[in-house]
PDB file of all heavy atoms in Angstrom:
ATOM      1  N   ARG B  63     -12.209  67.701 -48.361  1.00  0.00           N
ATOM      2  CA  ARG B  63     -11.796  66.290 -48.298  1.00  0.00           C
ATOM      3  C   ARG B  63     -12.317  65.632 -47.015  1.00  0.00           C
ATOM      4  O   ARG B  63     -12.360  64.414 -46.914  1.00  0.00           O
ATOM      5  CB  ARG B  63     -10.270  66.193 -48.313  1.00  0.00           C
ATOM      6  CG  ARG B  63      -9.619  66.734 -49.571  1.00  0.00           C
ATOM      7  CD  ARG B  63      -8.101  66.572 -49.534  1.00  0.00           C
ATOM      8  NE  ARG B  63      -7.465  67.361 -48.478  1.00  0.00           N
ATOM      9  CZ  ARG B  63      -7.019  66.853 -47.343  1.00  0.00           C
ATOM     10  NH1 ARG B  63      -7.136  65.572 -47.077  1.00  0.00           N
ATOM     11  NH2 ARG B  63      -6.437  67.648 -46.450  1.00  0.00           N
ATOM     12  N   PHE B  64     -12.686  66.470 -46.044  1.00  0.00           N
ATOM     13  CA  PHE B  64     -13.232  65.966 -44.786  1.00  0.00           C
ATOM     14  C   PHE B  64     -14.755  65.977 -44.881  1.00  0.00           C
ATOM     15  O   PHE B  64     -15.354  67.033 -45.125  1.00  0.00           O
ATOM     16  CB  PHE B  64     -12.796  66.849 -43.619  1.00  0.00           C
ATOM     17  CG  PHE B  64     -11.344  66.743 -43.287  1.00  0.00           C
ATOM     18  CD1 PHE B  64     -10.390  67.402 -44.051  1.00  0.00           C
ATOM     19  CD2 PHE B  64     -10.912  65.982 -42.208  1.00  0.00           C
ATOM     20  CE1 PHE B  64      -9.037  67.298 -43.752  1.00  0.00           C
ATOM     21  CE2 PHE B  64      -9.561  65.884 -41.891  1.00  0.00           C
ATOM     22  CZ  PHE B  64      -8.628  66.545 -42.674  1.00  0.00           C
ATOM     23  N   SER B  65     -15.376  64.828 -44.655  1.00  0.00           N
ATOM     24  CA  SER B  65     -16.828  64.785 -44.713  1.00  0.00           C
ATOM     25  C   SER B  65     -17.365  64.028 -43.506  1.00  0.00           C
ATOM     26  O   SER B  65     -17.139  62.830 -43.356  1.00  0.00           O
ATOM     27  CB  SER B  65     -17.308  64.148 -46.018  1.00  0.00           C
ATOM     28  OG  SER B  65     -16.699  62.891 -46.202  1.00  0.00           O
ATOM     29  N   PRO B  66     -18.080  64.728 -42.626  1.00  0.00           N
ATOM     30  CA  PRO B  66     -18.709  64.055 -41.494  1.00  0.00           C
ATOM     31  C   PRO B  66     -20.022  63.417 -41.934  1.00  0.00           C
ATOM     32  O   PRO B  66     -20.672  63.886 -42.868  1.00  0.00           O
ATOM     33  CB  PRO B  66     -18.964  65.210 -40.528  1.00  0.00           C
ATOM     34  CG  PRO B  66     -19.168  66.388 -41.423  1.00  0.00           C
ATOM     35  CD  PRO B  66     -18.322  66.171 -42.637  1.00  0.00           C
ATOM     36  N   LYS B  67     -20.361  62.339 -41.230  1.00  0.00           N
ATOM     37  CA  LYS B  67     -21.647  61.686 -41.505  1.00  0.00           C
ATOM     38  C   LYS B  67     -22.252  61.226 -40.189  1.00  0.00           C
ATOM     39  O   LYS B  67     -21.584  60.559 -39.402  1.00  0.00           O
ATOM     40  CB  LYS B  67     -21.451  60.492 -42.436  1.00  0.00           C
ATOM     41  CG  LYS B  67     -21.215  60.874 -43.878  1.00  0.00           C
ATOM     42  CD  LYS B  67     -21.223  59.697 -44.818  1.00  0.00           C
ATOM     43  CE  LYS B  67     -21.149  60.116 -46.276  1.00  0.00           C
ATOM     44  NZ  LYS B  67     -20.148  61.131 -46.566  1.00  0.00           N
ATOM     45  N   SER B  68     -23.509  61.571 -39.991  1.00  0.00           N
ATOM     46  CA  SER B  68     -24.193  61.213 -38.746  1.00  0.00           C
ATOM     47  C   SER B  68     -25.403  60.364 -39.078  1.00  0.00           C
ATOM     48  O   SER B  68     -26.485  60.878 -39.357  1.00  0.00           O
ATOM     49  CB  SER B  68     -24.615  62.483 -38.002  1.00  0.00           C
ATOM     50  OG  SER B  68     -25.243  62.153 -36.776  1.00  0.00           O
ATOM     51  N   PRO B  69     -25.266  59.039 -39.038  1.00  0.00           N
ATOM     52  CA  PRO B  69     -26.390  58.158 -39.374  1.00  0.00           C
ATOM     53  C   PRO B  69     -27.511  58.209 -38.335  1.00  0.00           C
ATOM     54  O   PRO B  69     -28.673  57.972 -38.667  1.00  0.00           O
ATOM     55  CB  PRO B  69     -25.751  56.773 -39.424  1.00  0.00           C
ATOM     56  CG  PRO B  69     -24.498  56.888 -38.608  1.00  0.00           C
ATOM     57  CD  PRO B  69     -24.032  58.295 -38.729  1.00  0.00           C
ATOM     58  N   ASP B  70     -27.161  58.507 -37.106  1.00  0.00           N
ATOM     59  CA  ASP B  70     -28.159  58.681 -36.048  1.00  0.00           C
ATOM     60  C   ASP B  70     -27.523  59.531 -34.953  1.00  0.00           C
ATOM     61  O   ASP B  70     -26.345  59.875 -35.021  1.00  0.00           O
ATOM     62  CB  ASP B  70     -28.654  57.336 -35.499  1.00  0.00           C
ATOM     63  CG  ASP B  70     -27.517  56.453 -35.019  1.00  0.00           C
ATOM     64  OD1 ASP B  70     -26.741  56.898 -34.161  1.00  0.00           O
ATOM     65  OD2 ASP B  70     -27.391  55.327 -35.529  1.00  0.00           O
ATOM     66  N   LYS B  71     -28.306  59.856 -33.930  1.00  0.00           N
ATOM     67  CA  LYS B  71     -27.823  60.806 -32.901  1.00  0.00           C
ATOM     68  C   LYS B  71     -26.634  60.265 -32.123  1.00  0.00           C
ATOM     69  O   LYS B  71     -25.880  61.019 -31.541  1.00  0.00           O
ATOM     70  CB  LYS B  71     -28.951  61.139 -31.927  1.00  0.00           C
ATOM     71  CG  LYS B  71     -30.024  62.018 -32.492  1.00  0.00           C
ATOM     72  CD  LYS B  71     -30.911  62.613 -31.412  1.00  0.00           C
ATOM     73  CE  LYS B  71     -31.523  61.600 -30.502  1.00  0.00           C
ATOM     74  NZ  LYS B  71     -32.450  62.191 -29.516  1.00  0.00           N
ATOM     75  N   ALA B  72     -26.463  58.951 -32.114  1.00  0.00           N
ATOM     76  CA  ALA B  72     -25.416  58.351 -31.289  1.00  0.00           C
ATOM     77  C   ALA B  72     -24.103  58.173 -32.038  1.00  0.00           C
ATOM     78  O   ALA B  72     -23.107  57.777 -31.432  1.00  0.00           O
ATOM     79  CB  ALA B  72     -25.887  56.993 -30.764  1.00  0.00           C
ATOM     80  N   HIS B  73     -24.087  58.464 -33.323  1.00  0.00           N
ATOM     81  CA  HIS B  73     -22.899  58.224 -34.140  1.00  0.00           C
ATOM     82  C   HIS B  73     -22.549  59.446 -34.985  1.00  0.00           C
ATOM     83  O   HIS B  73     -23.433  60.089 -35.551  1.00  0.00           O
ATOM     84  CB  HIS B  73     -23.113  57.019 -35.081  1.00  0.00           C
ATOM     85  CG  HIS B  73     -23.310  55.729 -34.361  1.00  0.00           C
ATOM     86  ND1 HIS B  73     -24.541  55.328 -33.896  1.00  0.00           N
ATOM     87  CD2 HIS B  73     -22.423  54.752 -34.017  1.00  0.00           C
ATOM     88  CE1 HIS B  73     -24.414  54.150 -33.301  1.00  0.00           C
ATOM     89  NE2 HIS B  73     -23.141  53.781 -33.361  1.00  0.00           N
ATOM     90  N   LEU B  74     -21.248  59.728 -35.037  1.00  0.00           N
ATOM     91  CA  LEU B  74     -20.747  60.770 -35.934  1.00  0.00           C
ATOM     92  C   LEU B  74     -19.409  60.280 -36.464  1.00  0.00           C
ATOM     93  O   LEU B  74     -18.437  60.183 -35.723  1.00  0.00           O
ATOM     94  CB  LEU B  74     -20.579  62.106 -35.222  1.00  0.00           C
ATOM     95  CG  LEU B  74     -20.043  63.240 -36.094  1.00  0.00           C
ATOM     96  CD1 LEU B  74     -21.009  63.534 -37.261  1.00  0.00           C
ATOM     97  CD2 LEU B  74     -19.809  64.506 -35.284  1.00  0.00           C
ATOM     98  N   ASN B  75     -19.381  59.941 -37.746  1.00  0.00           N
ATOM     99  CA  ASN B  75     -18.176  59.417 -38.371  1.00  0.00           C
ATOM    100  C   ASN B  75     -17.506  60.512 -39.181  1.00  0.00           C
ATOM    101  O   ASN B  75     -18.152  61.463 -39.632  1.00  0.00           O
ATOM    102  CB  ASN B  75     -18.524  58.221 -39.249  1.00  0.00           C
ATOM    103  CG  ASN B  75     -19.250  57.129 -38.459  1.00  0.00           C
ATOM    104  OD1 ASN B  75     -18.935  56.881 -37.297  1.00  0.00           O
ATOM    105  ND2 ASN B  75     -20.230  56.504 -39.088  1.00  0.00           N
ATOM    106  N   LEU B  76     -16.202  60.366 -39.348  1.00  0.00           N
ATOM    107  CA  LEU B  76     -15.424  61.338 -40.112  1.00  0.00           C
ATOM    108  C   LEU B  76     -14.695  60.603 -41.229  1.00  0.00           C
ATOM    109  O   LEU B  76     -13.898  59.705 -40.962  1.00  0.00           O
ATOM    110  CB  LEU B  76     -14.423  62.050 -39.203  1.00  0.00           C
ATOM    111  CG  LEU B  76     -13.591  63.153 -39.843  1.00  0.00           C
ATOM    112  CD1 LEU B  76     -14.473  64.317 -40.279  1.00  0.00           C
ATOM    113  CD2 LEU B  76     -12.511  63.641 -38.875  1.00  0.00           C
ATOM    114  N   HIS B  77     -15.003  60.986 -42.458  1.00  0.00           N
ATOM    115  CA  HIS B  77     -14.337  60.378 -43.600  1.00  0.00           C
ATOM    116  C   HIS B  77     -13.380  61.398 -44.206  1.00  0.00           C
ATOM    117  O   HIS B  77     -13.750  62.569 -44.375  1.00  0.00           O
ATOM    118  CB  HIS B  77     -15.360  59.940 -44.649  1.00  0.00           C
ATOM    119  CG  HIS B  77     -14.746  59.125 -45.742  1.00  0.00           C
ATOM    120  ND1 HIS B  77     -14.368  57.819 -45.569  1.00  0.00           N
ATOM    121  CD2 HIS B  77     -14.422  59.459 -47.008  1.00  0.00           C
ATOM    122  CE1 HIS B  77     -13.841  57.370 -46.704  1.00  0.00           C
ATOM    123  NE2 HIS B  77     -13.870  58.337 -47.584  1.00  0.00           N
ATOM    124  N   ILE B  78     -12.171  60.946 -44.510  1.00  0.00           N
ATOM    125  CA  ILE B  78     -11.167  61.852 -45.070  1.00  0.00           C
ATOM    126  C   ILE B  78     -10.683  61.269 -46.391  1.00  0.00           C
ATOM    127  O   ILE B  78     -10.189  60.132 -46.435  1.00  0.00           O
ATOM    128  CB  ILE B  78      -9.967  62.046 -44.122  1.00  0.00           C
ATOM    129  CG1 ILE B  78     -10.433  62.270 -42.687  1.00  0.00           C
ATOM    130  CG2 ILE B  78      -9.118  63.230 -44.594  1.00  0.00           C
ATOM    131  CD1 ILE B  78      -9.319  62.231 -41.660  1.00  0.00           C
ATOM    132  N   ASN B  79     -10.830  62.031 -47.463  1.00  0.00           N
ATOM    133  CA  ASN B  79     -10.360  61.613 -48.791  1.00  0.00           C
ATOM    134  C   ASN B  79      -8.968  62.168 -49.071  1.00  0.00           C
ATOM    135  O   ASN B  79      -8.586  63.224 -48.546  1.00  0.00           O
ATOM    136  CB  ASN B  79     -11.309  62.137 -49.869  1.00  0.00           C
ATOM    137  CG  ASN B  79     -12.636  61.407 -49.862  1.00  0.00           C
ATOM    138  OD1 ASN B  79     -12.699  60.226 -49.526  1.00  0.00           O
ATOM    139  ND2 ASN B  79     -13.691  62.122 -50.207  1.00  0.00           N
ATOM    140  N   SER B  80      -8.245  61.469 -49.899  1.00  0.00           N
ATOM    141  CA  SER B  80      -6.952  61.965 -50.412  1.00  0.00           C
ATOM    142  C   SER B  80      -6.089  62.545 -49.293  1.00  0.00           C
ATOM    143  O   SER B  80      -5.704  63.719 -49.315  1.00  0.00           O
ATOM    144  CB  SER B  80      -7.188  63.048 -51.482  1.00  0.00           C
ATOM    145  OG  SER B  80      -7.992  62.540 -52.515  1.00  0.00           O
ATOM    146  N   LEU B  81      -5.766  61.714 -48.352  1.00  0.00           N
ATOM    147  CA  LEU B  81      -5.043  62.162 -47.164  1.00  0.00           C
ATOM    148  C   LEU B  81      -3.727  62.846 -47.518  1.00  0.00           C
ATOM    149  O   LEU B  81      -3.003  62.428 -48.426  1.00  0.00           O
ATOM    150  CB  LEU B  81      -4.792  60.988 -46.233  1.00  0.00           C
ATOM    151  CG  LEU B  81      -5.998  60.661 -45.348  1.00  0.00           C
ATOM    152  CD1 LEU B  81      -5.988  59.214 -44.905  1.00  0.00           C
ATOM    153  CD2 LEU B  81      -6.019  61.609 -44.143  1.00  0.00           C
ATOM    154  N   GLU B  82      -3.427  63.903 -46.762  1.00  0.00           N
ATOM    155  CA  GLU B  82      -2.186  64.670 -46.942  1.00  0.00           C
ATOM    156  C   GLU B  82      -1.375  64.622 -45.646  1.00  0.00           C
ATOM    157  O   GLU B  82      -1.908  64.339 -44.574  1.00  0.00           O
ATOM    158  CB  GLU B  82      -2.525  66.123 -47.276  1.00  0.00           C
ATOM    159  CG  GLU B  82      -3.350  66.282 -48.531  1.00  0.00           C
ATOM    160  CD  GLU B  82      -3.714  67.725 -48.816  1.00  0.00           C
ATOM    161  OE1 GLU B  82      -3.377  68.618 -47.996  1.00  0.00           O
ATOM    162  OE2 GLU B  82      -4.331  67.977 -49.866  1.00  0.00           O
ATOM    163  N   LEU B  83      -0.075  64.925 -45.787  1.00  0.00           N
ATOM    164  CA  LEU B  83       0.813  64.903 -44.618  1.00  0.00           C
ATOM    165  C   LEU B  83       0.268  65.797 -43.499  1.00  0.00           C
ATOM    166  O   LEU B  83       0.334  65.444 -42.318  1.00  0.00           O
ATOM    167  CB  LEU B  83       2.219  65.367 -45.005  1.00  0.00           C
ATOM    168  CG  LEU B  83       3.006  64.451 -45.937  1.00  0.00           C
ATOM    169  CD1 LEU B  83       4.343  65.095 -46.305  1.00  0.00           C
ATOM    170  CD2 LEU B  83       3.234  63.084 -45.312  1.00  0.00           C
ATOM    171  N   GLY B  84      -0.279  66.941 -43.870  1.00  0.00           N
ATOM    172  CA  GLY B  84      -0.764  67.904 -42.886  1.00  0.00           C
ATOM    173  C   GLY B  84      -2.006  67.446 -42.131  1.00  0.00           C
ATOM    174  O   GLY B  84      -2.428  68.104 -41.182  1.00  0.00           O
ATOM    175  N   ASP B  85      -2.584  66.329 -42.556  1.00  0.00           N
ATOM    176  CA  ASP B  85      -3.753  65.798 -41.843  1.00  0.00           C
ATOM    177  C   ASP B  85      -3.333  65.021 -40.596  1.00  0.00           C
ATOM    178  O   ASP B  85      -4.192  64.662 -39.776  1.00  0.00           O
ATOM    179  CB  ASP B  85      -4.573  64.891 -42.756  1.00  0.00           C
ATOM    180  CG  ASP B  85      -5.133  65.622 -43.958  1.00  0.00           C
ATOM    181  OD1 ASP B  85      -5.365  66.848 -43.851  1.00  0.00           O
ATOM    182  OD2 ASP B  85      -5.326  64.978 -45.011  1.00  0.00           O
ATOM    183  N   SER B  86      -2.045  64.745 -40.473  1.00  0.00           N
ATOM    184  CA  SER B  86      -1.556  64.032 -39.293  1.00  0.00           C
ATOM    185  C   SER B  86      -1.867  64.839 -38.042  1.00  0.00           C
ATOM    186  O   SER B  86      -1.488  66.008 -37.929  1.00  0.00           O
ATOM    187  CB  SER B  86      -0.044  63.803 -39.394  1.00  0.00           C
ATOM    188  OG  SER B  86       0.256  62.959 -40.468  1.00  0.00           O
ATOM    189  N   ALA B  87      -2.574  64.205 -37.121  1.00  0.00           N
ATOM    190  CA  ALA B  87      -3.034  64.908 -35.911  1.00  0.00           C
ATOM    191  C   ALA B  87      -3.769  63.891 -35.048  1.00  0.00           C
ATOM    192  O   ALA B  87      -3.923  62.723 -35.425  1.00  0.00           O
ATOM    193  CB  ALA B  87      -3.987  66.049 -36.268  1.00  0.00           C
ATOM    194  N   VAL B  88      -4.232  64.354 -33.895  1.00  0.00           N
ATOM    195  CA  VAL B  88      -5.142  63.546 -33.086  1.00  0.00           C
ATOM    196  C   VAL B  88      -6.536  64.128 -33.265  1.00  0.00           C
ATOM    197  O   VAL B  88      -6.740  65.339 -33.120  1.00  0.00           O
ATOM    198  CB  VAL B  88      -4.754  63.547 -31.595  1.00  0.00           C
ATOM    199  CG1 VAL B  88      -5.722  62.670 -30.797  1.00  0.00           C
ATOM    200  CG2 VAL B  88      -3.328  63.059 -31.405  1.00  0.00           C
ATOM    201  N   TYR B  89      -7.484  63.284 -33.607  1.00  0.00           N
ATOM    202  CA  TYR B  89      -8.857  63.715 -33.838  1.00  0.00           C
ATOM    203  C   TYR B  89      -9.718  63.255 -32.662  1.00  0.00           C
ATOM    204  O   TYR B  89      -9.731  62.074 -32.305  1.00  0.00           O
ATOM    205  CB  TYR B  89      -9.383  63.147 -35.157  1.00  0.00           C
ATOM    206  CG  TYR B  89      -8.675  63.749 -36.340  1.00  0.00           C
ATOM    207  CD1 TYR B  89      -7.458  63.233 -36.784  1.00  0.00           C
ATOM    208  CD2 TYR B  89      -9.199  64.860 -36.999  1.00  0.00           C
ATOM    209  CE1 TYR B  89      -6.779  63.805 -37.849  1.00  0.00           C
ATOM    210  CE2 TYR B  89      -8.531  65.433 -38.070  1.00  0.00           C
ATOM    211  CZ  TYR B  89      -7.326  64.909 -38.473  1.00  0.00           C
ATOM    212  OH  TYR B  89      -6.657  65.484 -39.529  1.00  0.00           O
ATOM    213  N   PHE B  90     -10.413  64.210 -32.078  1.00  0.00           N
ATOM    214  CA  PHE B  90     -11.275  63.922 -30.933  1.00  0.00           C
ATOM    215  C   PHE B  90     -12.730  64.102 -31.304  1.00  0.00           C
ATOM    216  O   PHE B  90     -13.118  65.115 -31.900  1.00  0.00           O
ATOM    217  CB  PHE B  90     -10.964  64.853 -29.754  1.00  0.00           C
ATOM    218  CG  PHE B  90      -9.671  64.551 -29.055  1.00  0.00           C
ATOM    219  CD1 PHE B  90      -8.544  65.292 -29.329  1.00  0.00           C
ATOM    220  CD2 PHE B  90      -9.595  63.529 -28.129  1.00  0.00           C
ATOM    221  CE1 PHE B  90      -7.342  65.025 -28.678  1.00  0.00           C
ATOM    222  CE2 PHE B  90      -8.401  63.253 -27.472  1.00  0.00           C
ATOM    223  CZ  PHE B  90      -7.277  64.002 -27.761  1.00  0.00           C
ATOM    224  N   CYS B  91     -13.512  63.132 -30.903  1.00  0.00           N
ATOM    225  CA  CYS B  91     -14.955  63.235 -30.982  1.00  0.00           C
ATOM    226  C   CYS B  91     -15.470  63.672 -29.609  1.00  0.00           C
ATOM    227  O   CYS B  91     -14.857  63.347 -28.570  1.00  0.00           O
ATOM    228  CB  CYS B  91     -15.520  61.864 -31.354  1.00  0.00           C
ATOM    229  SG  CYS B  91     -17.303  61.782 -31.456  1.00  0.00           S
ATOM    230  N   ALA B  92     -16.558  64.404 -29.589  1.00  0.00           N
ATOM    231  CA  ALA B  92     -17.155  64.829 -28.317  1.00  0.00           C
ATOM    232  C   ALA B  92     -18.665  64.850 -28.464  1.00  0.00           C
ATOM    233  O   ALA B  92     -19.193  64.874 -29.582  1.00  0.00           O
ATOM    234  CB  ALA B  92     -16.636  66.208 -27.891  1.00  0.00           C
ATOM    235  N   SER B  93     -19.346  64.849 -27.335  1.00  0.00           N
ATOM    236  CA  SER B  93     -20.809  64.952 -27.382  1.00  0.00           C
ATOM    237  C   SER B  93     -21.292  65.807 -26.222  1.00  0.00           C
ATOM    238  O   SER B  93     -20.598  65.981 -25.223  1.00  0.00           O
ATOM    239  CB  SER B  93     -21.468  63.570 -27.322  1.00  0.00           C
ATOM    240  OG  SER B  93     -21.356  63.006 -26.021  1.00  0.00           O
ATOM    241  N   SER B  94     -22.483  66.348 -26.383  1.00  0.00           N
ATOM    242  CA  SER B  94     -23.123  67.115 -25.306  1.00  0.00           C
ATOM    243  C   SER B  94     -24.633  67.012 -25.473  1.00  0.00           C
ATOM    244  O   SER B  94     -25.140  66.637 -26.536  1.00  0.00           O
ATOM    245  CB  SER B  94     -22.688  68.583 -25.344  1.00  0.00           C
ATOM    246  OG  SER B  94     -23.227  69.242 -26.477  1.00  0.00           O
ATOM    247  N   GLN B  95     -25.331  67.365 -24.406  1.00  0.00           N
ATOM    248  CA  GLN B  95     -26.781  67.404 -24.486  1.00  0.00           C
ATOM    249  C   GLN B  95     -27.189  68.823 -24.855  1.00  0.00           C
ATOM    250  O   GLN B  95     -26.948  69.764 -24.099  1.00  0.00           O
ATOM    251  CB  GLN B  95     -27.431  67.003 -23.174  1.00  0.00           C
ATOM    252  CG  GLN B  95     -28.952  67.005 -23.211  1.00  0.00           C
ATOM    253  CD  GLN B  95     -29.516  66.193 -24.361  1.00  0.00           C
ATOM    254  OE1 GLN B  95     -28.990  65.146 -24.729  1.00  0.00           O
ATOM    255  NE2 GLN B  95     -30.589  66.679 -24.948  1.00  0.00           N
ATOM    256  N   GLY B  96     -27.761  68.990 -26.008  1.00  0.00           N
ATOM    257  CA  GLY B  96     -28.158  70.312 -26.445  1.00  0.00           C
ATOM    258  C   GLY B  96     -27.039  71.009 -27.182  1.00  0.00           C
ATOM    259  O   GLY B  96     -25.863  70.676 -27.038  1.00  0.00           O
ATOM    260  N   ALA B  97     -27.417  71.991 -27.979  1.00  0.00           N
ATOM    261  CA  ALA B  97     -26.418  72.727 -28.759  1.00  0.00           C
ATOM    262  C   ALA B  97     -26.058  74.029 -28.078  1.00  0.00           C
ATOM    263  O   ALA B  97     -25.393  74.865 -28.657  1.00  0.00           O
ATOM    264  CB  ALA B  97     -26.961  73.001 -30.159  1.00  0.00           C
ATOM    265  N   ARG B  98     -26.469  74.200 -26.839  1.00  0.00           N
ATOM    266  CA  ARG B  98     -26.100  75.403 -26.107  1.00  0.00           C
ATOM    267  C   ARG B  98     -24.993  75.068 -25.117  1.00  0.00           C
ATOM    268  O   ARG B  98     -24.347  74.049 -25.241  1.00  0.00           O
ATOM    269  CB  ARG B  98     -27.331  75.974 -25.412  1.00  0.00           C
ATOM    270  CG  ARG B  98     -28.432  76.361 -26.392  1.00  0.00           C
ATOM    271  CD  ARG B  98     -29.560  77.124 -25.726  1.00  0.00           C
ATOM    272  NE  ARG B  98     -29.105  78.437 -25.282  1.00  0.00           N
ATOM    273  CZ  ARG B  98     -29.093  79.499 -26.074  1.00  0.00           C
ATOM    274  NH1 ARG B  98     -29.455  79.409 -27.334  1.00  0.00           N
ATOM    275  NH2 ARG B  98     -28.686  80.668 -25.612  1.00  0.00           N
ATOM    276  N   VAL B  99     -24.787  75.916 -24.171  1.00  0.00           N
ATOM    277  CA  VAL B  99     -23.609  75.757 -23.312  1.00  0.00           C
ATOM    278  C   VAL B  99     -23.795  74.604 -22.338  1.00  0.00           C
ATOM    279  O   VAL B  99     -24.440  74.739 -21.321  1.00  0.00           O
ATOM    280  CB  VAL B  99     -23.356  77.052 -22.522  1.00  0.00           C
ATOM    281  CG1 VAL B  99     -22.171  76.875 -21.585  1.00  0.00           C
ATOM    282  CG2 VAL B  99     -23.097  78.185 -23.484  1.00  0.00           C
ATOM    283  N   ASN B 100     -23.270  73.499 -22.678  1.00  0.00           N
ATOM    284  CA  ASN B 100     -23.285  72.349 -21.780  1.00  0.00           C
ATOM    285  C   ASN B 100     -21.956  71.637 -21.868  1.00  0.00           C
ATOM    286  O   ASN B 100     -21.248  71.735 -22.865  1.00  0.00           O
ATOM    287  CB  ASN B 100     -24.412  71.383 -22.155  1.00  0.00           C
ATOM    288  CG  ASN B 100     -25.748  71.819 -21.581  1.00  0.00           C
ATOM    289  OD1 ASN B 100     -25.848  72.166 -20.412  1.00  0.00           O
ATOM    290  ND2 ASN B 100     -26.772  71.822 -22.405  1.00  0.00           N
TER     291      ASN B 100
END
Side-chain angles (χ1 to χ4, degrees):
Chain B
R63 298 181 295 103
F64 290 78
S65 53
K67 284 188 173 46
S68 182
D70 55 56
K71 288 195 305 184
H73 296 85
L74 179 61
N75 304 323
L76 183 65
H77 189 75
I78 315 170
N79 288 329
S80 303
L81 278 155
E82 301 178 357
L83 292 176
D85 298 332
S86 295
V88 181
Y89 292 84
F90 287 100
C91 178
S93 72
S94 69
Q95 181 52 37
R98 299 189 68 86
V99 178
N100 278 313

